[in-house]
Amino acid sequence: MTPFTPPYDRDRLLAWMAERGIAQTTTDHPAVFRVEEGLELKAAMPGAHTKNLFLKDKKGRLWLISARQDTVIDLKAAPRVIGSDRLSFGNEGLMWETLGVRPGSVTALGLINDAERRVGFVLDRRLWEADVVNFHPLTNTATTALDQAALRAFLKAIEREPRVIDFVADPA
């Protein structure tokens, strides 16, 4: 069996965005694996920074929750809020196979690699309403900033409609 190679990596993703006129600014930095690790470097970058959870529910459905980095997400309450069964973290193999990323690099931009639409996408309302949002460009050694128009253009181009949840009003 041939190992899976995702169609998009950082360079192809950024080229794809440029071809479609999706404006972005990408900043290189040392690898960041956890939200807490990158706080100093993020302080110098404007916009809402994100945390991204790749999850699997009891029925085998896959979920990506993208939330502002300071959002508390209760995995016991989240199923009620997003409409799933009990959630646990998805394994590295599924993450690679569906989003083309490794642990520490999970990002909503990885949805470009989910051609089969296996991953349900849940977006924090605070990101949906932020002027600028920051995601890893399929690698944790850079951050890509998108303004709201660019984020929506990206989602439209990959034909994805997020389920927007207000995690502050209805904590999950």
Side-chain angles (χ1 to χ4, degrees):
M1 181 174 182
T2 310
F4 174 74
T5 302
Y8 290 91
D9 59 12
R10 171 200 162 138
D11 293 339
R12 288 201 59 217
L13 168 70
L14 297 178
W16 178 91
M17 292 170 100
E19 289 167 9
R20 285 157 183 77
I22 299 172
Q24 54 79 27
T25 303
T26 297
T27 304
D28 292 310
H29 53 70
V32 176
F33 292 91
R34 302 180 58 80
V35 169
E36 303 80 30
E37 289 177 32
L39 295 179
E40 283 182 28
L41 92 103
K42 291 175 187 175
M45 293 180 220
H49 292 276
T50 60
K51 70 175 166 188
N52 299 274
L53 306 177
F54 180 71
L55 305 165
K56 182 177 180 179
D57 73 17
K58 190 170 75 173
K59 291 185 178 175
R61 292 181 299 179
L62 303 176
W63 298 89
L64 173 62
I65 297 177
S66 293
R68 210 168 84 171
Q69 72 180 4
D70 60 348
T71 303
V72 175
I73 298 175
D74 178 351
L75 292 183
K76 290 182 180 176
R80 174 187 54 79
V81 175
I82 71 172
S84 73
D85 289 307
R86 189 179 75 240
L87 294 165
S88 60
F89 287 97
N91 68 44
E92 182 176 354
L94 276 174
M95 185 185 303
W96 179 249
E97 184 182 306
T98 56
L99 300 178
V101 296
R102 300 287 185 199
S105 298
V106 178
T107 172
L109 301 179
L111 292 168
I112 195 169
N113 284 319
D114 184 25
E116 296 176 16
R117 308 279 190 275
R118 293 173 57 193
V119 180
F121 182 41
V122 178
L123 186 67
D124 183 355
R125 178 166 303 285
R126 294 187 302 161
L127 294 181
W128 189 242
E129 295 173 351
D131 293 335
V132 174
V133 293
N134 294 286
F135 292 102
H136 288 310
L138 309 180
T139 178
N140 64 354
T141 58
T143 297
T144 296
L146 301 167
D147 68 17
Q148 220 23 260
L151 174 62
R152 292 171 196 232
F154 171 78
L155 292 171
K156 183 177 181 180
I158 63 167
E159 299 176 350
R160 296 301 291 258
E161 188 72 33
R163 179 177 298 176
V164 178
I165 302 290
D166 187 341
F167 286 105
V168 173
D170 194 354

